[in-house]
Amino acid sequence: MKSPVARLLAASALLPAFALAAPAQADDAATLTGEIIVTAQKRDQKISDVPVTITAWTGETLQRIGVSQFNELSAFVPGLNIQEQSANNPGFVIRGITSDSGSAQEAARVTVYYNGVDVSRSRGSYFDLFDISRVEVVKGPQATLFGTAAAIGAVSVIPNPVAEGLSGEVRGAIGNHGQRQLSGVLNAGTDTYGVRAAFAWKQRDGVVENIAGRGASSNAALPQRDLNGQEQMGARLSLMLKPLEDLRLDLVYSYDGQRSPGTAFKSGTLCPFGGDTSPFSFAELSGSPVSEAVFGKDELGLWRDVHDINLTARFTPEGSRWSTVHITGYREFDSLEVFDADGSGAWFLEFAEEAIGRQYSHESRVNFDGDGVRAFAGFNWFSERGSQSVPFSTEEGTYLQCVLGIVPGIPCVNADGVVTAAGVTSLLTGGAIAQIPYQSSFRNTGEISSFSLFADVTVDVGQWLELTAGGRMLWEDRTSFYISNQPASVLGGVPLLPFAGTGGQSFRADASNKAFLPRFNALARLADGVNAYATVSKGRRSPVVQLGARNTADGPVPNRTDVPAETVWNYEAGLKGARGPLQASLGVYLQTYDNFQVTVNEGGQLVSRNAGSARNIGVEAEASWRPVREVLLFGNLGWIDAKIRDRPENGIFANNRFRLQPEWQAAAGIDARVGVGGGLELFATPTITHRSRIFFEVPNDPAIAQGPVTLVNLRAGIGAEDGRWQLTGFASNLFDKDHIIDAGNTGGAFGIPTFIRGMPRLLGVEAAIRF
């Protein structure tokens, strides 16, 4: 078997061959996955002229292939994986680096940009993809382009702006599992002012039946909704004003909200009444019978609201080489998710998470576009206060029996799914007490304030070579707070969860840090429409001021752990070409990490740990080809060897693959459209996606991994050639492939891992009218 380095060298050898083989570019290749204009480097550029690895999809293209949310997008971007347990807990993964921690004390690793503003905080980063201009996924550290959270890359979503004229669209869909969708857009504008309103509503019944509290259930819990459903609403209002000919103001308000049923954290150990432990069969997640009092809601589910206001001012004097951009943003999110972490009918591990965040930001940038020199410079200010509160509910005898087995011979849940541990409290109290409810909680809070200066300059060295250098200087202040209430249990005499309370105190810890993050790029124009590029850049995830509590003889005291900044050096090279009916790119990269940060679940708390050194090496390729005008073929391929170094000092993490990152991933599709006369056309867009095995945790555990998964999707229908109307049938996971999207979770920290199934086959019909 070839070593990773041998594979990298073999892929590198293909680069000159591509430069010789690519034929000449046709303008109509931009119809799908073609030569679109991107703004990753803060100016309009053809994607083949950007000297970094970037994938871009227009909103129209995403609509054609049936992508309307983040987890669907990732299948079509090599090196990107997006896991969506729920809208409250998305995991963005670029080249093996995961950004999904809910702790307010930690920084993101992958930047999520919305309308030019960093919205990367995990619990506030999800939003629906409707009425968008394009999505740009930039890989590798890009500190000067996307801020400090872009330690390994960025996902930038640009909504459609207000346009001149009157136009609109209404789109609706129905399907199996109670799918109902409705979306619309209305735009009205002149050359000096305008308004654009858009919305999207989605609803789907749960795809995992939940028998808790129903006739087939073994207990009298409150009836729960079926799991892994969807109830989502997004809205956007955009106002445009040009008070001066050279000045454009865009004010955008966005809302994203969910009222979704619970997530199917189904136990792989404890079966439901009359059922089994398969993640693909029915569940019995009963939650807590005192949920209303402890969590504020009486059932499992997600209640989440996100509000975002963005003001962008662009001053572009006619005839001048100088321009300025000023972006001010405010974002707030408030989410409450109630979940059953043991994945069974037992009143055992019942949790909720309430995440609140308030973010303010401003960036000003000056751009220069001269003969042979292009540059930008500016400053950025960012302030955030957020908190993560986690209340816990259990029944004491049930918890002690399920965790410690204090009464021999009584299982937590027996083979028939009966919660036998529920009788332990009565046994221990001689029948005097049937149940002893127990509750505890902890809350971590983080305050972050940062200021940075950045600059970037590109110089043409002759007609065939351009060189870019830039950097960002960052100053950051971080404050962490922690408060925890962990009362002693009646039966055990000690707190049930394995961490200390704070005795009513709120602990605090402060730290300041600074860093300089450079990037260097080179672009060589080898031939008309064919470019080679190379880049070296540094990325950094901020140090973590991790604050908890520990018990001493004198009472609880702060337990502070300073996890050092994670740094990465990124080296990559590749080729991009757009000629004739073919557009393609091929890139290879090497990334080396120091102080690699991992998140592990310890007794119900997610904490950061320093796993030492790590390395990524990989290849990414994309291509689209139009053999005839009516047919476009497109595809991508990514291979990555992402591991923590096999060194003694890296301890239990040594030689483990990064979590949520397959070694191989690929996607391919066809967009075919044929006119049938009378102004009508038939169309079909089949797509296939594949990923190899992924691990859900570090250290890796094969028992909670997902093997290779290949999924087929299809969209086909009939419509007007001028796009005025369209009727589409759609199928995702056409062959109903069983797969899981996550495993381990909070239950795994107690030795009972839970599993979340992926979506089954979804079928439906969609109608659209445009004017």
Side-chain angles (χ1 to χ4, degrees), residues 466-716:
E466 70 173 41
L467 301 177
T468 300
R472 180 183 292 262
M473 187 68 204
L474 165 75
W475 296 266
E476 185 178 60
D477 296 317
R478 306 182 72 90
T479 301
S480 295
F481 300 87
Y482 182 79
I483 186 169
S484 180
N485 178 30
Q486 302 295 327
S489 65
V490 174
L491 295 178
V494 295
L496 294 185
L497 294 182
F499 42 88
T502 62
Q505 305 173 76
S506 179
F507 295 150
R508 170 176 176 157
D510 300 277
S512 297
N513 62 86
K514 61 183 179 180
F516 178 70
L517 303 173
R519 76 174 191 131
F520 306 94
N521 299 324
L523 181 76
R525 301 179 180 89
L526 304 182
D528 184 24
V530 180
N531 298 324
Y533 68 95
T535 180
V536 178
S537 54
K538 182 182 181 182
R540 171 185 182 269
R541 188 190 195 194
S542 296
V544 180
V545 183
Q546 190 164 272
L547 189 60
R550 60 184 177 88
N551 291 317
T552 69
D554 298 322
V557 298
N559 183 25
R560 173 173 175 166
T561 303
D562 288 300
V563 183
E566 172 186 289
T567 58
V568 54
W569 279 99
N570 178 73
Y571 312 90
E572 58 187 291
L575 278 174
K576 299 181 177 185
R579 303 180 64 188
L582 176 67
Q583 176 179 329
S585 66
L586 179 63
V588 294
Y589 59 88
L590 170 67
Q591 296 168 339
T592 59
Y593 290 85
D594 290 318
N595 300 318
F596 186 73
Q597 296 178 10
V598 296
T599 301
V600 295
N601 196 317
E602 297 181 357
Q605 278 190 325
L606 293 174
V607 296
S608 291
R609 294 289 180 250
N610 183 356
S613 57
R615 186 190 70 171
N616 272 5
I617 188 169
V619 181
E620 295 168 353
E622 298 179 89
S624 64
W625 177 49
R626 187 177 295 279
V628 295
R629 185 178 182 85
E630 295 81 9
V631 177
L632 183 71
L633 310 177
F634 57 95
N636 65 65
L637 175 68
W639 171 80
I640 182 173
D641 186 55
K643 286 185 177 180
I644 298 168
R645 295 266 192 169
D646 191 11
R647 294 175 176 174
E649 62 267 26
N650 294 340
I652 62 172
F653 304 112
N655 204 37
N656 279 261
R657 287 190 63 84
F658 295 175
R659 59 184 291 262
L660 299 180
Q661 178 58 56
E663 182 180 6
W664 291 96
Q665 66 182 101
I670 303 171
D671 185 66
R673 296 175 181 269
V674 179
V676 292
L680 301 178
E681 71 172 7
L682 297 175
F683 59 88
T685 309
T687 59
I688 182 170
T689 63
H690 172 81
R691 73 179 188 197
S692 60
R693 182 175 66 164
I694 61 172
F695 293 101
F696 295 110
E697 293 184 351
V698 175
N700 301 157
D701 183 353
I704 53 173
Q706 169 63 59
V709 174
T710 301
L711 302 177
V712 176
N713 302 326
L714 175 64
R715 292 176 65 85

Side-chain angles (χ1 to χ4, degrees), residues 28-34 57-68 76 171 626 629-632 634 670-673 681 683-687 713-717 720-723 726 728-731 766 770:
D28 63 3
T31 304
L32 187 68
T33 72
W57 292 86
T58 66
E60 180 182 359
T61 297
L62 294 177
Q63 199 171 76
R64 286 189 180 189
I65 62 177
V67 170
S68 63
F76 299 96
R171 187 176 292 268
R626 187 177 295 279
R629 185 178 182 85
E630 295 81 9
V631 177
L632 183 71
F634 57 95
I670 303 171
D671 185 66
R673 296 175 181 269
E681 71 172 7
F683 59 88
T685 309
T687 59
N713 302 326
L714 175 64
R715 292 176 65 85
E721 286 185 316
D722 61 5
Q726 197 173 77
T728 307
F730 63 85
E766 179 185 75
R770 295 176 178 173

